Amino acid sequence: MRGKTNTLKYITLALLLTNGLLFSSCEKFVDIDKAPNQLPAADAFKEDGTATAAVLAMYSYYNTTGSLPYYTFAGGVEADDIQYTYTSSTPAMNELQQSTVNPNNGTVTSYLWIYPYGVIRQANLAIEGLKASTTLTSSVQAQLLGEAYFFRAFNYFYLVNYFGAVPLVLSSDVMETGNMPRTGTDSVWAQIISDLKAAEASLPAAYTGTLRTRINKYAASALLARAYLYREDWENAITYSTEVIAAGTYSLPVPDSAFVNISNEVILQYGTTNGYSFLGNNYRTSSSAGIPGFYLYPATANAFESGDKRRTAWVDSVISGTTTIYRINKYKLPTATAGNEYNVILRLAEQYLIRAEANAQLKNLDAAAADLNAVRTRAGLSNTTAATQDALLAAIAKERKLELFGEFAHRWFDLKRTGKVNEVIGAIKSSWVSTAALLPIPNTEIAKNKALKQNDGY
């Protein structure tokens, strides 16, 4: 298109460091001589080095690092998962905790809408440039395409779960996409699955670098398994979770070691220069007696069975006045200069629970129990006593709550997809109404795009 001036930022290792992210200690992914800060998009994908840098930029791109914490925190406080320390200066997060979100909520607007779409645009630029290039090494081109497809699918996964129908933007040209209406959820889910299949087909099984900080084939398989579970496609959920479990690459270490950056449970983690996670930074304090910004619901802390190693390893407590505050201790480091914890995006325990639930839904009860027991055994617990389909599904739901708390809104999405959200959240929030299960489309976006329509209840 004549006059088109889209640019794609790309980065060297030095810029990765100043942005606060690093993918593998003491290792460069690319060497770029005399690189300018920006290149025209078409030029960025002529050479392996610049193309690689352009895609690596998405890992540390400000919109990526800005969105990731709130993918966890927004859903966490909406559910019976994590609580937020109220302050008068943070009304946006207070609204989420009370499930009374205003369409002008700045946290929702920036971190859950604008930033994800920024990453999606970067992915679209990369997909367009990579597909058009005729000069890249084929293996490099395939891997980079797979990573870009994954980023697009990952962000649409959170958009559709938080908002429902959203504009399905598959082009980088804002003149074509700036006035798009919302696309039905079925179409958005179909695109997520299509992108993840394309990613899985393009990505290598082996990791690049010594730590699992770049997307590989099994990261795509793991997110595909989750997407199929949410869509109630039980057979495919089993197929893709089995790919990950059977890969021979992953295992379930003791809970205390699950979140260190060399954990064999990690399927995908985003690295940090100082070695501490944004989750640990919000769940822990530098004071051993400090109250963090986000902490665990007492009912969750008290739901563990006696002897559960996760309770010992992942939860501790402090006293504030007469109140016990249960702190999330999955990540141990609130800060560090050379820590050993990254942002864990995907891990193996979820795959066992996906396959367990899908098998239970298909009445493959022995298989479901076996996968549930794999997670329970790691936790130091005896095998489940659940023997019927209903009992197994209930046991798996409880195990998901206790295994995945404080991680990427799992509990919030589980309550919604299983039809339990009104029952559970209505019992703990006096202000709850069923339409609060979806967030409002930001008013600022509706003002810019008249084709957007607001969700019910707002």
PDB file of all heavy atoms in Angstrom, residues 44-70:
ATOM      1  N   ALA A  44      12.803  -5.046   8.078  1.00  0.00           N
ATOM      2  CA  ALA A  44      13.124  -5.777   9.303  1.00  0.00           C
ATOM      3  C   ALA A  44      13.152  -7.278   9.082  1.00  0.00           C
ATOM      4  O   ALA A  44      13.807  -8.005   9.834  1.00  0.00           O
ATOM      5  CB  ALA A  44      12.121  -5.428  10.397  1.00  0.00           C
ATOM      6  N   PHE A  45      12.471  -7.757   8.050  1.00  0.00           N
ATOM      7  CA  PHE A  45      12.350  -9.199   7.845  1.00  0.00           C
ATOM      8  C   PHE A  45      13.135  -9.704   6.643  1.00  0.00           C
ATOM      9  O   PHE A  45      12.862 -10.771   6.113  1.00  0.00           O
ATOM     10  CB  PHE A  45      10.872  -9.577   7.751  1.00  0.00           C
ATOM     11  CG  PHE A  45      10.129  -9.269   9.018  1.00  0.00           C
ATOM     12  CD1 PHE A  45       9.360  -8.132   9.123  1.00  0.00           C
ATOM     13  CD2 PHE A  45      10.255 -10.098  10.118  1.00  0.00           C
ATOM     14  CE1 PHE A  45       8.710  -7.834  10.306  1.00  0.00           C
ATOM     15  CE2 PHE A  45       9.602  -9.804  11.307  1.00  0.00           C
ATOM     16  CZ  PHE A  45       8.823  -8.668  11.405  1.00  0.00           C
ATOM     17  N   LYS A  46      14.158  -8.951   6.259  1.00  0.00           N
ATOM     18  CA  LYS A  46      15.009  -9.390   5.166  1.00  0.00           C
ATOM     19  C   LYS A  46      16.153 -10.260   5.642  1.00  0.00           C
ATOM     20  O   LYS A  46      16.691 -11.072   4.882  1.00  0.00           O
ATOM     21  CB  LYS A  46      15.563  -8.179   4.409  1.00  0.00           C
ATOM     22  CG  LYS A  46      14.513  -7.444   3.574  1.00  0.00           C
ATOM     23  CD  LYS A  46      15.133  -6.281   2.819  1.00  0.00           C
ATOM     24  CE  LYS A  46      14.113  -5.578   1.935  1.00  0.00           C
ATOM     25  NZ  LYS A  46      14.703  -4.412   1.229  1.00  0.00           N
ATOM     26  N   GLU A  47      16.588 -10.073   6.891  1.00  0.00           N
ATOM     27  CA  GLU A  47      17.725 -10.790   7.413  1.00  0.00           C
ATOM     28  C   GLU A  47      17.349 -11.520   8.695  1.00  0.00           C
ATOM     29  O   GLU A  47      16.495 -11.055   9.460  1.00  0.00           O
ATOM     30  CB  GLU A  47      18.893  -9.836   7.675  1.00  0.00           C
ATOM     31  CG  GLU A  47      19.385  -9.120   6.428  1.00  0.00           C
ATOM     32  CD  GLU A  47      20.530  -8.162   6.727  1.00  0.00           C
ATOM     33  OE1 GLU A  47      20.927  -8.076   7.917  1.00  0.00           O
ATOM     34  OE2 GLU A  47      21.012  -7.517   5.790  1.00  0.00           O
ATOM     35  N   ASP A  48      18.017 -12.642   8.951  1.00  0.00           N
ATOM     36  CA  ASP A  48      17.711 -13.435  10.133  1.00  0.00           C
ATOM     37  C   ASP A  48      17.868 -12.632  11.422  1.00  0.00           C
ATOM     38  O   ASP A  48      17.043 -12.743  12.346  1.00  0.00           O
ATOM     39  CB  ASP A  48      18.626 -14.658  10.201  1.00  0.00           C
ATOM     40  CG  ASP A  48      18.308 -15.703   9.146  1.00  0.00           C
ATOM     41  OD1 ASP A  48      17.296 -15.542   8.427  1.00  0.00           O
ATOM     42  OD2 ASP A  48      19.072 -16.684   9.045  1.00  0.00           O
ATOM     43  N   GLY A  49      18.918 -11.831  11.522  1.00  0.00           N
ATOM     44  CA  GLY A  49      19.201 -11.103  12.755  1.00  0.00           C
ATOM     45  C   GLY A  49      18.137 -10.087  13.098  1.00  0.00           C
ATOM     46  O   GLY A  49      17.644 -10.039  14.234  1.00  0.00           O
ATOM     47  N   THR A  50      17.773  -9.259  12.108  1.00  0.00           N
ATOM     48  CA  THR A  50      16.778  -8.228  12.393  1.00  0.00           C
ATOM     49  C   THR A  50      15.395  -8.835  12.579  1.00  0.00           C
ATOM     50  O   THR A  50      14.599  -8.373  13.405  1.00  0.00           O
ATOM     51  CB  THR A  50      16.747  -7.179  11.272  1.00  0.00           C
ATOM     52  OG1 THR A  50      16.554  -7.833  10.013  1.00  0.00           O
ATOM     53  CG2 THR A  50      18.018  -6.357  11.257  1.00  0.00           C
ATOM     54  N   ALA A  51      15.091  -9.881  11.836  1.00  0.00           N
ATOM     55  CA  ALA A  51      13.795 -10.547  12.001  1.00  0.00           C
ATOM     56  C   ALA A  51      13.691 -11.173  13.387  1.00  0.00           C
ATOM     57  O   ALA A  51      12.657 -11.075  14.062  1.00  0.00           O
ATOM     58  CB  ALA A  51      13.605 -11.608  10.925  1.00  0.00           C
ATOM     59  N   THR A  52      14.760 -11.825  13.836  1.00  0.00           N
ATOM     60  CA  THR A  52      14.761 -12.421  15.166  1.00  0.00           C
ATOM     61  C   THR A  52      14.596 -11.356  16.232  1.00  0.00           C
ATOM     62  O   THR A  52      13.812 -11.509  17.181  1.00  0.00           O
ATOM     63  CB  THR A  52      16.066 -13.209  15.400  1.00  0.00           C
ATOM     64  OG1 THR A  52      16.155 -14.251  14.428  1.00  0.00           O
ATOM     65  CG2 THR A  52      16.106 -13.803  16.791  1.00  0.00           C
ATOM     66  N   ALA A  53      15.315 -10.261  16.098  1.00  0.00           N
ATOM     67  CA  ALA A  53      15.211  -9.184  17.080  1.00  0.00           C
ATOM     68  C   ALA A  53      13.805  -8.608  17.122  1.00  0.00           C
ATOM     69  O   ALA A  53      13.289  -8.263  18.189  1.00  0.00           O
ATOM     70  CB  ALA A  53      16.227  -8.092  16.758  1.00  0.00           C
ATOM     71  N   ALA A  54      13.173  -8.492  15.956  1.00  0.00           N
ATOM     72  CA  ALA A  54      11.818  -7.941  15.906  1.00  0.00           C
ATOM     73  C   ALA A  54      10.841  -8.808  16.681  1.00  0.00           C
ATOM     74  O   ALA A  54       9.959  -8.311  17.391  1.00  0.00           O
ATOM     75  CB  ALA A  54      11.370  -7.807  14.446  1.00  0.00           C
ATOM     76  N   VAL A  55      10.973 -10.119  16.553  1.00  0.00           N
ATOM     77  CA  VAL A  55      10.069 -11.021  17.268  1.00  0.00           C
ATOM     78  C   VAL A  55      10.432 -11.103  18.745  1.00  0.00           C
ATOM     79  O   VAL A  55       9.559 -11.103  19.617  1.00  0.00           O
ATOM     80  CB  VAL A  55      10.062 -12.409  16.607  1.00  0.00           C
ATOM     81  CG1 VAL A  55       9.319 -13.427  17.470  1.00  0.00           C
ATOM     82  CG2 VAL A  55       9.415 -12.320  15.219  1.00  0.00           C
ATOM     83  N   LEU A  56      11.725 -11.146  19.061  1.00  0.00           N
ATOM     84  CA  LEU A  56      12.124 -11.156  20.471  1.00  0.00           C
ATOM     85  C   LEU A  56      11.634  -9.921  21.206  1.00  0.00           C
ATOM     86  O   LEU A  56      11.405  -9.960  22.416  1.00  0.00           O
ATOM     87  CB  LEU A  56      13.646 -11.256  20.588  1.00  0.00           C
ATOM     88  CG  LEU A  56      14.303 -12.584  20.220  1.00  0.00           C
ATOM     89  CD1 LEU A  56      15.798 -12.545  20.498  1.00  0.00           C
ATOM     90  CD2 LEU A  56      13.663 -13.731  20.991  1.00  0.00           C
ATOM     91  N   ALA A  57      11.456  -8.829  20.471  1.00  0.00           N
ATOM     92  CA  ALA A  57      10.976  -7.606  21.113  1.00  0.00           C
ATOM     93  C   ALA A  57       9.623  -7.807  21.774  1.00  0.00           C
ATOM     94  O   ALA A  57       9.296  -7.139  22.757  1.00  0.00           O
ATOM     95  CB  ALA A  57      10.895  -6.477  20.078  1.00  0.00           C
ATOM     96  N   MET A  58       8.818  -8.728  21.250  1.00  0.00           N
ATOM     97  CA  MET A  58       7.492  -8.936  21.843  1.00  0.00           C
ATOM     98  C   MET A  58       7.571  -9.489  23.255  1.00  0.00           C
ATOM     99  O   MET A  58       6.671  -9.270  24.062  1.00  0.00           O
ATOM    100  CB  MET A  58       6.642  -9.842  20.954  1.00  0.00           C
ATOM    101  CG  MET A  58       6.061  -9.122  19.758  1.00  0.00           C
ATOM    102  SD  MET A  58       4.858 -10.121  18.857  1.00  0.00           S
ATOM    103  CE  MET A  58       5.949 -11.218  17.970  1.00  0.00           C
ATOM    104  N   TYR A  59       8.637 -10.211  23.571  1.00  0.00           N
ATOM    105  CA  TYR A  59       8.776 -10.738  24.931  1.00  0.00           C
ATOM    106  C   TYR A  59       8.950  -9.614  25.943  1.00  0.00           C
ATOM    107  O   TYR A  59       8.479  -9.713  27.071  1.00  0.00           O
ATOM    108  CB  TYR A  59       9.975 -11.666  25.015  1.00  0.00           C
ATOM    109  CG  TYR A  59       9.811 -12.994  24.318  1.00  0.00           C
ATOM    110  CD1 TYR A  59      10.116 -13.146  22.970  1.00  0.00           C
ATOM    111  CD2 TYR A  59       9.389 -14.120  25.020  1.00  0.00           C
ATOM    112  CE1 TYR A  59      10.000 -14.374  22.336  1.00  0.00           C
ATOM    113  CE2 TYR A  59       9.264 -15.359  24.394  1.00  0.00           C
ATOM    114  CZ  TYR A  59       9.564 -15.470  23.048  1.00  0.00           C
ATOM    115  OH  TYR A  59       9.439 -16.699  22.423  1.00  0.00           O
ATOM    116  N   SER A  60       9.670  -8.576  25.566  1.00  0.00           N
ATOM    117  CA  SER A  60       9.936  -7.487  26.501  1.00  0.00           C
ATOM    118  C   SER A  60       9.227  -6.190  26.121  1.00  0.00           C
ATOM    119  O   SER A  60       9.379  -5.181  26.786  1.00  0.00           O
ATOM    120  CB  SER A  60      11.438  -7.211  26.582  1.00  0.00           C
ATOM    121  OG  SER A  60      11.911  -6.689  25.356  1.00  0.00           O
ATOM    122  N   TYR A  61       8.473  -6.239  25.042  1.00  0.00           N
ATOM    123  CA  TYR A  61       7.695  -5.080  24.603  1.00  0.00           C
ATOM    124  C   TYR A  61       6.876  -4.560  25.770  1.00  0.00           C
ATOM    125  O   TYR A  61       6.278  -5.327  26.521  1.00  0.00           O
ATOM    126  CB  TYR A  61       6.797  -5.527  23.442  1.00  0.00           C
ATOM    127  CG  TYR A  61       5.931  -4.476  22.802  1.00  0.00           C
ATOM    128  CD1 TYR A  61       6.397  -3.192  22.553  1.00  0.00           C
ATOM    129  CD2 TYR A  61       4.630  -4.790  22.399  1.00  0.00           C
ATOM    130  CE1 TYR A  61       5.589  -2.250  21.941  1.00  0.00           C
ATOM    131  CE2 TYR A  61       3.819  -3.859  21.782  1.00  0.00           C
ATOM    132  CZ  TYR A  61       4.307  -2.580  21.555  1.00  0.00           C
ATOM    133  OH  TYR A  61       3.493  -1.658  20.953  1.00  0.00           O
ATOM    134  N   TYR A  62       6.840  -3.256  25.963  1.00  0.00           N
ATOM    135  CA  TYR A  62       6.194  -2.662  27.138  1.00  0.00           C
ATOM    136  C   TYR A  62       4.761  -3.142  27.309  1.00  0.00           C
ATOM    137  O   TYR A  62       4.306  -3.400  28.429  1.00  0.00           O
ATOM    138  CB  TYR A  62       6.218  -1.125  27.032  1.00  0.00           C
ATOM    139  CG  TYR A  62       5.639  -0.458  28.246  1.00  0.00           C
ATOM    140  CD1 TYR A  62       6.366  -0.402  29.439  1.00  0.00           C
ATOM    141  CD2 TYR A  62       4.366   0.097  28.225  1.00  0.00           C
ATOM    142  CE1 TYR A  62       5.846   0.201  30.561  1.00  0.00           C
ATOM    143  CE2 TYR A  62       3.838   0.699  29.354  1.00  0.00           C
ATOM    144  CZ  TYR A  62       4.579   0.748  30.512  1.00  0.00           C
ATOM    145  OH  TYR A  62       4.054   1.334  31.630  1.00  0.00           O
ATOM    146  N   ASN A  63       4.064  -3.287  26.221  1.00  0.00           N
ATOM    147  CA  ASN A  63       2.687  -3.748  26.339  1.00  0.00           C
ATOM    148  C   ASN A  63       2.606  -5.180  26.859  1.00  0.00           C
ATOM    149  O   ASN A  63       1.669  -5.533  27.577  1.00  0.00           O
ATOM    150  CB  ASN A  63       1.971  -3.647  24.983  1.00  0.00           C
ATOM    151  CG  ASN A  63       1.678  -2.209  24.617  1.00  0.00           C
ATOM    152  OD1 ASN A  63       1.928  -1.292  25.386  1.00  0.00           O
ATOM    153  ND2 ASN A  63       1.165  -2.003  23.421  1.00  0.00           N
ATOM    154  N   THR A  64       3.553  -6.032  26.493  1.00  0.00           N
ATOM    155  CA  THR A  64       3.565  -7.389  27.025  1.00  0.00           C
ATOM    156  C   THR A  64       3.810  -7.368  28.523  1.00  0.00           C
ATOM    157  O   THR A  64       3.065  -7.964  29.305  1.00  0.00           O
ATOM    158  CB  THR A  64       4.660  -8.233  26.342  1.00  0.00           C
ATOM    159  OG1 THR A  64       4.345  -8.357  24.960  1.00  0.00           O
ATOM    160  CG2 THR A  64       4.750  -9.618  26.957  1.00  0.00           C
ATOM    161  N   THR A  65       4.858  -6.702  28.954  1.00  0.00           N
ATOM    162  CA  THR A  65       5.195  -6.690  30.373  1.00  0.00           C
ATOM    163  C   THR A  65       4.158  -5.939  31.185  1.00  0.00           C
ATOM    164  O   THR A  65       3.967  -6.216  32.369  1.00  0.00           O
ATOM    165  CB  THR A  65       6.584  -6.068  30.599  1.00  0.00           C
ATOM    166  OG1 THR A  65       6.611  -4.731  30.079  1.00  0.00           O
ATOM    167  CG2 THR A  65       7.653  -6.894  29.900  1.00  0.00           C
ATOM    168  N   GLY A  66       3.440  -4.989  30.564  1.00  0.00           N
ATOM    169  CA  GLY A  66       2.383  -4.280  31.268  1.00  0.00           C
ATOM    170  C   GLY A  66       1.134  -5.112  31.453  1.00  0.00           C
ATOM    171  O   GLY A  66       0.478  -5.061  32.502  1.00  0.00           O
ATOM    172  N   SER A  67       0.783  -5.899  30.428  1.00  0.00           N
ATOM    173  CA  SER A  67      -0.439  -6.698  30.501  1.00  0.00           C
ATOM    174  C   SER A  67      -0.320  -7.883  31.444  1.00  0.00           C
ATOM    175  O   SER A  67      -1.264  -8.228  32.149  1.00  0.00           O
ATOM    176  CB  SER A  67      -0.806  -7.230  29.102  1.00  0.00           C
ATOM    177  OG  SER A  67      -1.184  -6.198  28.241  1.00  0.00           O
ATOM    178  N   LEU A  68       0.833  -8.543  31.457  1.00  0.00           N
ATOM    179  CA  LEU A  68       0.950  -9.820  32.148  1.00  0.00           C
ATOM    180  C   LEU A  68       0.532  -9.780  33.617  1.00  0.00           C
ATOM    181  O   LEU A  68      -0.212 -10.655  34.063  1.00  0.00           O
ATOM    182  CB  LEU A  68       2.374 -10.363  32.017  1.00  0.00           C
ATOM    183  CG  LEU A  68       2.739 -10.959  30.664  1.00  0.00           C
ATOM    184  CD1 LEU A  68       4.215 -11.328  30.628  1.00  0.00           C
ATOM    185  CD2 LEU A  68       1.887 -12.179  30.343  1.00  0.00           C
ATOM    186  N   PRO A  69       0.969  -8.802  34.415  1.00  0.00           N
ATOM    187  CA  PRO A  69       0.529  -8.813  35.816  1.00  0.00           C
ATOM    188  C   PRO A  69      -0.980  -8.730  35.954  1.00  0.00           C
ATOM    189  O   PRO A  69      -1.565  -9.410  36.801  1.00  0.00           O
ATOM    190  CB  PRO A  69       1.208  -7.577  36.423  1.00  0.00           C
ATOM    191  CG  PRO A  69       2.327  -7.255  35.507  1.00  0.00           C
ATOM    192  CD  PRO A  69       1.886  -7.685  34.145  1.00  0.00           C
ATOM    193  N   TYR A  70      -1.605  -7.919  35.112  1.00  0.00           N
ATOM    194  CA  TYR A  70      -3.038  -7.690  35.262  1.00  0.00           C
ATOM    195  C   TYR A  70      -3.880  -8.818  34.697  1.00  0.00           C
ATOM    196  O   TYR A  70      -5.036  -8.977  35.075  1.00  0.00           O
ATOM    197  CB  TYR A  70      -3.411  -6.334  34.662  1.00  0.00           C
ATOM    198  CG  TYR A  70      -2.859  -5.229  35.523  1.00  0.00           C
ATOM    199  CD1 TYR A  70      -1.631  -4.640  35.233  1.00  0.00           C
ATOM    200  CD2 TYR A  70      -3.522  -4.823  36.673  1.00  0.00           C
ATOM    201  CE1 TYR A  70      -1.092  -3.669  36.048  1.00  0.00           C
ATOM    202  CE2 TYR A  70      -2.992  -3.839  37.491  1.00  0.00           C
ATOM    203  CZ  TYR A  70      -1.777  -3.268  37.174  1.00  0.00           C
ATOM    204  OH  TYR A  70      -1.242  -2.305  38.003  1.00  0.00           O
TER     205      TYR A  70
END
